[in-house]
Structure formats: C-alpha cells, structure tokens
C-alpha cells in the first residue's frame, strides 16, 4: 500500500527504490550500532576536533585490539549460548606465565608465547568441561576461574610485575606497516572469525547450538563439542591478548585484563549479540567494542568530569541498545 | 561418540587439562620472584641480639615479643614494610614475628592479631588499611598492648587508644610534586592529573597538588583529575585521550603506582615529551626515572616508617613519651638519588 502511494507521485519509482534500499539497509543488524558509532564520533569531534587526531585514533584502536581479540572469542561463545567471565584473569595469567617462562627460565620467546596460549586453551577446556559436561552454570564456573586465575597470576608473580623481560619481546609490539603488531593480529583474527562465522560449518554449528540446542542435536550436531571448542578458543584468545599487552608494557603485570570480562560482554551485547545465544555477528561485536571505547575516550577528550563518565557510559550503552531494539522491531533483521 | 561415553571421558580430559595447567603454572612459578613469599609468612622469629646500640642500657627490650600484623605477604610493598620492621626489631633485640596473610581480607588479619594476643604480645605494628581492623586495635590497646598503626592514617574521629599513628602525608607529597613540576616547566603550561581511583589518600594528594600549584605557580593550569584505573593498557589509552583533550599539556602527575608507566606510555604514543611524576619506587618505575622518561617518583617511606614504628614501640614499652601522630616525609626520587632506592630494593630483596 505504501508503494502504491509512492508510485502515484512524480518520480515515485526513484523514491520507492530509495525507500526499499533504506529499509533493506536498516534490516542489517549491525546498522544500529554503526549509526550510533558514527553519531558518537561526530559529536565528540565537534566538541573537540583533536578527538580525531591520529594519536588518539591509534591509541583507541590499540586498546580495542586487546579487548577485541578477547571479544572475538567471547562473541563466538555467547552466540553458542554460553559466556566466560574469566577472560581478564586468563589474560593476566597468560601474560605472567609467558613473562616468567621467558625471563626466569630462559625459554625462547615464541615457545613462551605458545605455552601461554596453550594454558589459555586448557583453562577454556576446564571451563567448558565443567559447564557443558558436568552441567555447572557457566556463571559459577567462570566466576570461580576468574578468581582462581587472577590469584594464580599474583602467586606466581609474587604480586608484582615480572620485569625486566628479554629485549626480543619488543618485536611483539613493533610497528608493521606503520601500525603496532597487536592491531594487525586483531584485524586478521577478526576477519578470519567473521568469515568463519558466516561461511564455515563451524560457524553455522555455533549459531545452531546457541539458537536451539535440542534442534541442533536432532540435526546431528554435537552440541557439547561445539561449545567446548568455543570455550577453548575464548581462553586461548584471552591469553594471547594478555601476552600482547605484556609485550607493549615490557612487563608481565598480574593486573593486566582487570575488568575486561564485563567490558567485553557489555560491548558484544551492545554490538547486537544476544545473551540467549544464536544471534549476532563478529562484525557487530567488534563495532560494539569500538563504540564503547569511542564513548570512553570521547568523554575524556570532551572534558566530562571523571565522576560523571561512568554514568554517561552506562546511559549511552542503554540508549544504543534501545535504539537498536526500536530498529529491530520496525525493520526486523 | 563423544555423547555416548560422556560419563567417563570428560572427567579424564578435565583431569588431564587441570594437570597440564598445574604443570605449566608450576613451571612458571618455580624460581619466579615469589620465592621469598613464604619466609615473610612464616614469621621472622628473629633471635634478639643486643639492645644497646646507643650504649645506653637503662631500658632493655631484649626478648620482648612484638608482631607486625599485615596483609598481602607476597606484595613487594608489604615486604619492604616487613623488612623495615624486622631489621629494626633485630637491632633493638626484640623477639619479633611477622604475621602476614595471603590476601587483603581483614577477617584473616583479625585472626592473626587474636593469635598474637593469645600467644603473648608486648606490642604490635599494624597498618590499619581497613576500618574493620579498628575494633581489634581498640581491643588490644584496652588490654594494655601498645599498638603502633602505620601507613594508613586513622581518622581523628576514631579513638582506638593506639600509642602512635605514623603515616605518609599525601598533602605533603602532593604539594612537593607540584613544586617540582612547576619548577621543571618554568611556571607555564598545563598539567594533567590522574588517580588510580577515588579514595581518600589519592584524593588528598591530587587536591594538595592542585592547591599548591595554584598558589606557587598561578600561570600553570591544572586539569581536573581523571581516573586512570589499574588495568595498564586501558590506563595508557585514557592518558592519551587526556593528552588529546588539551594540546598545551606539558606535564602529568599521577597519584598511583602505575602512573609512571601510564604516562610514559601515553607520551610515547602521542609523541610528546612530558614532565612526569608518579608514585612508588618499584624497579620498573626507577628504570623509567633513570631513562629520563619519568622525571620523578614519590618515595613513600615504607621502610623507614616501619623501622620508626619499632622505635616507637620500644619507647612505649619503656614508658617514654610517644608522639601520638607522626607524618613521615615522602621524598622525590629523581636521577640524582635513584641509586639509593635501587640499593634499598636490593637490600630488601624486592
């Protein structure tokens, strides 16, 4: 009916095409968070043009590279219907273990990094087995692991930074084509994960298991294995992110990854991933991570009082979710 | 296949995974810098030597039992505190014991304090970092045990009966940092201030810094304090944003121990040279001072504070007058005196 009315006016065909295009665009789930991001960048740049200065952009991208790497794993896990609260602590443990192995035990840097990532993988396996096979709630299991892994990081580091590290560690934070290594690692991981989620059988199984576990099992998908794999991937990526932060700082600090767990979950949810599972995309999750970083940084650059910043971040998060909900109700997607 | 025999295989896998994690973590933990944690925990039980260092023997505390009751035995700052206590107690001939917990849970400290009282105590040194410790301090004081509180000040409104409250003065070192930065930037430009979090000590240091700068260098603009937090990567990112917010920033003051690294990292990323002052003489921070990336760090006198607390205990036990509140000086560590602090860290094994 709408289309008939449009056709009745001069130039109606063009209008109809434009409306259809707009409608289809607004159906894309990531559009909501992308619009919010554009608006946020525009507002902060208007308030203070130095917000879009290269140093600030690079710093923000570098910061989201670390959280983004964790976000990739967390997004997959949440899409599969689970979540992991221990990611920040696993990052700290990975960083501290790698630092000690390379500095106190003389392990070659690549081996120390591999050992740290393997440790993350194993922690993910434990989280996964206790959640998926034993049937304990992920909230309790990963909350317990949050304390255990952080505690271990403090114990084995003696509560202090593992310092100094071998000089070769700096290659992990060197610039490649003008950007720090962490950003490239993040970009490559994000692209691979996005393609995997959209195109591969593993991605489809994650959506199927998170959307309806029983139906997925009836369709022959081994739901437990899929979830286990997602837990392990999340643990490994958390440890990798911790190692990359360690390389940037030049020390294994047990405080690395503090509060990442909630920041990552909040960001991926803002990016359109449903906590109930089965819905969302890697691109959306990473836009969510970027959006929250932009808001946090923008509030500082705009000179907002430090005490008001958490209030503003929370309000903007809820507003972004609300706008996306309205978009979803009106246009679907 | 997985689903069919999941009664056994997951457990085997879980056990294998846990064993592998423990092996890896143990491998990392063995020979790490934490190998001195236990010694701090098990207590000094130092054998008293002599108490006549000054040649006067009118009051001997030889064999008197005193305890240092504190949290976080593996924390390097706490280890320096314990070393100050132990060293001085040994010099004076006390029978000294260090009682420290693994974590910062006040209930565990209270349990250690009660244990010390039960076993007999002639005096205790306690950092009253949590108000939950106040009732115990009051109880021990009422029982006639001289208590010296250190490092965190007890509010004036609390009458706990301790003999002395000795602590650094955040207002003093905040003002000192302002004087040093003002001098280094020639009394012009903008200064950023960050805190690890909002708490009374950091608030006092930041406020004192701002007030002192306004008074001594009125042409310097001090930005309102921002929270850098304790996660290192996020802290650096926040500091870069602060730098972008005002192009005229030439210096930064942080009231937290991670501050030197935060601001050195931010200055690197933004390609700026800043006069930076932060807190605590940890080895990484001293290296930043030595390299010139950080102008100075504030040295809270944690070693001296605890040595002085033992002196105060001796005075209290001997019935000599003891000053109720002592404000410990917190000097700045710059390239001029950085070696002294490396030596102190070497001496205390941290």
């Amino acid at each position: 009916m709408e289309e008939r009315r449009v056709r009745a006016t001069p130039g109606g065909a063009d209008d109809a095409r434009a409306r259809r295009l707009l409608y289809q665009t607004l159906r894309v789930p990531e559009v909501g968070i992308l619009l919010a991001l554009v608006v946020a960048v525009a507002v902060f740049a208007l308030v203070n043009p130095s917000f879009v200065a290269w140093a600030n952009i690079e710093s923000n991208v570098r910061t989201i590279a670390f959280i983004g790497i964790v976000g990739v794993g967390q997004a997959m896990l949440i899409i599969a219907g689970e979540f992991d609260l221990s990611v920040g602590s696993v990052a700290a443990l990975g960083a501290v273990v790698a630092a000690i192995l390379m500095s106190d035990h003389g392990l070659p840097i690549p081996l120390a990094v591999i050992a740290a990532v393997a440790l993350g993988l194993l922690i993910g396996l434990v989280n996964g087995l206790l959640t998926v096979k034993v049937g304990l709630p992920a909230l309790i299991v990963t909350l317990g692991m949050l304390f255990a892994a952080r505690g271990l990081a403090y114990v084995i580091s003696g509560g202090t930074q593992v310092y100094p590290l071998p000089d070769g560690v700096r290659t992990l934070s060197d610039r490649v084509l003008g950007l720090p290594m962490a950003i490239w690692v993040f970009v490559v991981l994000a692209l691979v994960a996005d393609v995997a989620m959209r195109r591969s059988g593993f991605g489809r199984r994650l959506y199927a298991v998170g959307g309806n576990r029983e139906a997925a099992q009836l369709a022959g998908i081994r739901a437990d294995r899929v979830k286990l794999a997602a837990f392990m991937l999340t643990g490994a990526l958390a440890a990798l992110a911790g190692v990359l932060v360690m390389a940037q700082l030049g020390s294994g600090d047990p405080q690395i990854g503090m509060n990442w767990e909630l920041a990552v979950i909040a960001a991926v949810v803002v990016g359109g991933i449903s906590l109930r599972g089965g819905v969302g995309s890697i691109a959306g999750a990473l836009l969510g991570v970027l959006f929250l970083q932009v808001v946090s940084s923008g509030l500082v650059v705009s000179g907002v009082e430090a005490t008001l910043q958490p209030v503003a971040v929370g309000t903007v998060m809820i507003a972004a979710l609300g706008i996306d909900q309205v978009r979803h109700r009106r246009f679907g997607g | 296949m997985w689903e069919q025999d999941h009664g056994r295989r997951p457990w085997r896998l879980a056990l294998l995974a846990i064993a592998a994690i423990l092996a890896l973590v143990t491998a990392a933990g063995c020979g790490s810098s934490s190998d001195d944690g236990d010694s701090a925990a098990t207590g000094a039980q130092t054998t008293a030597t002599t108490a006549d260092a000054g040649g006067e023997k009118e009051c001997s505390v030889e064999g008197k039992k005193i305890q240092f009751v504190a949290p976080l035995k593996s924390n390097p700052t706490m280890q320096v505190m314990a070393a100050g206590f132990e060293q001085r107690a040994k010099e004076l001939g006390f029978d000294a014991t260090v009682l420290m917990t693994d974590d910062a849970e006040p209930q565990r400290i209270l349990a250690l304090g009660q244990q010390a009282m039960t076993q007999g105590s002639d005096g205790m040194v306690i950092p009253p970092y949590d108000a939950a410790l106040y009732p115990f301090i009051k109880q021990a004081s009422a029982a006639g045990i001289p208590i010296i509180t250190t490092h965190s000040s007890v509010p004036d409104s609390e009458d706990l009966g301790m003999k002395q409250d000795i602590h650094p003065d955040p207002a003093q070192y905040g003002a000192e940092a302002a004087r040093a930065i003002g001098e280094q930037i020639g009394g012009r430009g903008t200064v950023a201030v960050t805190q690890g979090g909002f708490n009374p000590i950091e608030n006092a240091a930041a406020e004192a810094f701002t007030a002192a700068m306004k008074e001594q260098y009125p042409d310097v603009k001090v930005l309102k304090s921002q929270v850098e937090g304790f996660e290192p990567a996020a802290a650096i990112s926040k500091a870069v944003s602060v730098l972008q917010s005002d192009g005229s920033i030439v210096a930064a003051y942080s009231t937290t121990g991670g501050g030197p690294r935060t601001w050195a990292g931010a200055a690197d990323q933004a390609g700026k040279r800043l006069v930076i002052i932060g807190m605590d003489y940890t080895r990484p921070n001293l290296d930043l001072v030595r390299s010139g990336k950080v102008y100075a760090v504030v040295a809270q006198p944690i070693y001296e504070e605890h040595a002085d607390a033992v002196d105060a205990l001796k005075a209290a036990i001997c019935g000599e007058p003891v000053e109720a509140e002592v404000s410990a000086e917190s000097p700045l560590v710059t390239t001029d005196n950085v070696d002294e602090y490396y030596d102190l860290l070497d001496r205390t094994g941290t």
Side-chain angles (χ1 to χ4, degrees):
Chain A
M1 188 160 163
E2 178 79 1
E3 280 189 16
R4 218 177 296 140
R5 187 156 50 83
V6 171
R7 276 186 193 132
T9 61
D14 286 347
D15 280 357
R17 261 198 300 276
R19 276 169 187 257
R20 207 175 302 128
L21 187 66
L22 180 66
Y23 184 80
Q24 281 168 353
T25 306
L26 288 171
R27 276 179 62 84
V28 176
E30 290 82 13
V31 162
I33 186 67
L34 192 59
L35 282 175
L37 181 62
V38 169
V39 170
V41 170
V43 168
F44 291 131
L46 274 175
V47 173
N48 188 340
S50 62
F51 176 70
V52 285
W54 177 245
N56 199 43
I57 293 171
E58 186 189 313
S59 171
N60 282 324
V61 174
R62 196 199 290 247
T63 305
I64 70 151
F66 302 131
I67 293 191
I69 289 169
V70 181
V72 167
Q74 190 76 270
M76 288 179 162
L77 186 58
I78 295 178
I79 286 171
E82 301 289 351
F83 60 88
D84 185 349
L85 291 177
S86 67
V87 285
S89 302
V90 173
L93 186 58
V96 165
V97 165
I100 289 176
L101 289 178
M102 64 179 73
S103 61
D104 290 5
H105 295 267
L107 209 64
I109 293 167
L111 284 183
V113 172
I114 289 169
V117 174
L119 176 66
L121 199 78
L122 287 169
I123 292 175
L125 177 63
V126 171
N127 281 339
L129 287 171
L130 292 174
T131 304
V132 175
K133 291 294 184 180
V134 180
L136 301 175
L139 175 76
I140 303 302
V141 170
T142 60
L143 190 62
M145 191 59 83
L146 177 153
F147 290 117
R150 180 76 63 188
L152 273 176
Y154 277 114
V155 168
I156 64 171
S157 67
T160 184
Q161 296 171 42
V162 181
Y163 175 88
L165 299 182
D167 286 343
V169 170
R170 297 209 173 277
T171 54
L172 290 173
S173 61
D174 274 353
R175 285 172 179 270
V176 180
L177 299 175
L179 289 175
M181 181 83 83
I183 294 179
W184 289 113
V185 172
F186 162 62
V187 168
V188 169
L189 273 171
L191 286 175
V192 169
D194 195 60
V195 171
M197 290 301 284
R198 290 176 198 272
R199 301 279 166 82
S200 75
F202 177 64
R204 281 191 290 274
R205 283 194 285 275
L206 282 174
Y207 281 110
V209 169
N212 188 328
R213 182 181 171 143
E214 285 73 27
Q217 279 177 323
L218 285 172
I221 295 173
R222 290 165 171 165
D224 290 359
R225 274 193 180 185
V226 171
K227 287 191 175 191
L228 263 184
F231 267 113
M232 290 166 73
L233 202 59
T234 306
L237 291 179
L240 176 64
V243 168
L244 290 171
V245 176
M246 173 205 77
Q248 188 203 330
L249 301 173
S251 64
D253 190 330
Q255 299 207 83
I256 286 172
M258 194 77 84
N259 299 327
W260 276 8
E261 48 283 337
L262 291 181
V264 170
I265 290 176
V268 300
V269 169
V270 165
I273 290 183
S274 166
L275 279 175
R276 295 188 194 93
V279 174
S281 68
I282 298 294
L286 298 181
L287 282 171
V289 172
L290 181 58
F291 175 72
L292 286 193
Q293 177 61 28
V294 160
V295 171
S296 302
S297 169
L299 290 169
V300 176
V301 174
S302 307
V304 174
E305 288 260 351
T307 43
L308 288 177
Q309 286 171 21
V311 180
V313 170
T315 308
V316 170
M317 262 175 69
I318 294 168
L321 273 173
I323 291 167
D324 192 55
Q325 199 62 30
V326 171
R327 179 202 62 79
H328 178 69
R329 285 200 185 137
R330 283 200 64 179
F331 303 102
Chain B
M1 191 172 81
W2 184 280
E3 278 76 13
Q4 281 154 7
D5 59 355
H6 66 73
R8 286 184 184 176
R9 285 188 62 185
W11 283 110
R12 233 180 289 159
L13 258 177
L15 285 173
L16 266 175
I18 290 167
I21 290 169
L22 286 176
L24 205 55
V25 168
T26 308
C30 288
S32 75
S33 54
S34 66
D35 55 0
D36 51 354
D38 281 347
S39 63
T42 48
Q45 294 292 0
T46 47
T47 312
T49 50
T50 56
D52 59 348
E56 292 176 17
K57 290 196 100 175
E58 71 275 9
C59 173
S60 170
V61 288
E62 188 81 32
K64 292 276 186 192
K65 286 184 176 181
I66 60 169
Q67 294 87 14
F68 175 56
V69 185
L72 298 167
K73 69 182 178 195
S74 60
N75 181 293
T77 304
M78 302 306 296
Q79 286 167 3
V80 174
M81 292 181 182
F85 169 85
E86 278 186 283
Q87 194 64 43
R88 189 69 181 134
K90 193 176 175 181
E91 286 166 13
L92 296 181
F94 276 113
D95 177 1
T97 308
V98 173
L99 298 168
M100 296 175 83
T101 57
D102 289 320
D103 53 26
E105 175 56 54
Q107 294 308 318
R108 291 188 218 275
I109 310 277
L110 293 178
L112 284 180
Q114 294 292 355
Q115 177 193 323
M117 275 181 77
T118 310
Q119 290 172 353
S121 176
D122 296 306
M124 288 188 210
V125 175
I126 304 174
Y129 68 98
D130 191 303
L133 300 174
Y134 293 173
F136 171 73
I137 294 169
K138 198 168 186 173
Q139 177 199 352
S141 299
I145 299 172
I147 302 287
I148 309 295
T149 53
T150 54
H151 202 60
S152 312
S153 60
V154 175
D156 292 340
S157 54
E158 298 284 347
D159 182 15
L160 305 183
M162 69 269 189
K163 294 291 180 189
Q164 187 175 80
D165 185 15
I166 175 167
H167 54 84
D169 181 1
Q172 174 263 317
Y173 60 71
E176 179 67 13
R179 186 201 55 72
I181 284 181
E183 195 179 295
Q184 287 298 310
I185 62 177
R188 288 177 186 283
T190 302
V191 185
V193 180
T194 51
Q195 300 180 216
F198 288 125
N199 57 65
I201 293 177
E202 290 194 67
N203 292 350
E207 283 160 16
F209 177 88
T210 306
M213 191 66 90
K214 193 174 177 183
E215 190 187 314
Q216 296 174 43
Y217 297 97
D219 292 338
V220 174
K221 177 182 167 192
V222 179
L223 299 180
K224 283 195 173 165
S225 187
Q226 293 282 348
V227 175
E228 64 176 85
F230 299 100
E231 204 289 310
I236 292 173
S237 174
K238 175 76 78 81
V240 171
S241 297
V242 173
L243 285 178
Q244 296 308 320
S245 71
D246 192 323
S248 63
I249 294 174
V250 291
Y253 170 57
S254 171
T255 59
T256 186
R261 177 178 60 189
T262 297
W263 280 105
D268 258 0
Q269 283 189 26
K272 279 195 152 193
R273 270 202 69 79
L274 301 174
V275 176
I276 299 165
I277 295 185
M279 297 298 295
D280 297 346
Y281 53 92
T282 60
R283 219 169 272 276
N285 286 355
L286 293 184
D287 284 355
L288 287 171
V289 171
R290 183 177 264 173
S291 70
K293 289 183 173 180
V294 166
Y295 172 67
V297 290
V298 174
Q300 293 188 79
I302 46 182
Y303 183 91
E304 296 80 358
E305 230 183 294
H306 289 78
D308 292 350
V310 176
D311 285 337
L313 267 187
K314 183 190 175 201
I317 290 168
C318 293
E320 294 162 11
V322 178
E323 207 176 332
E325 187 167 8
V326 175
S327 180
E329 285 280 308
S330 303
L332 289 182
V333 183
T334 64
T335 45
D336 295 339
N337 60 346
V338 71
D339 287 337
E340 290 170 32
Y341 289 88
Y342 279 115
D343 288 346
L344 180 56
L345 291 182
D346 289 342
R347 253 193 351 259
T348 54
T350 53

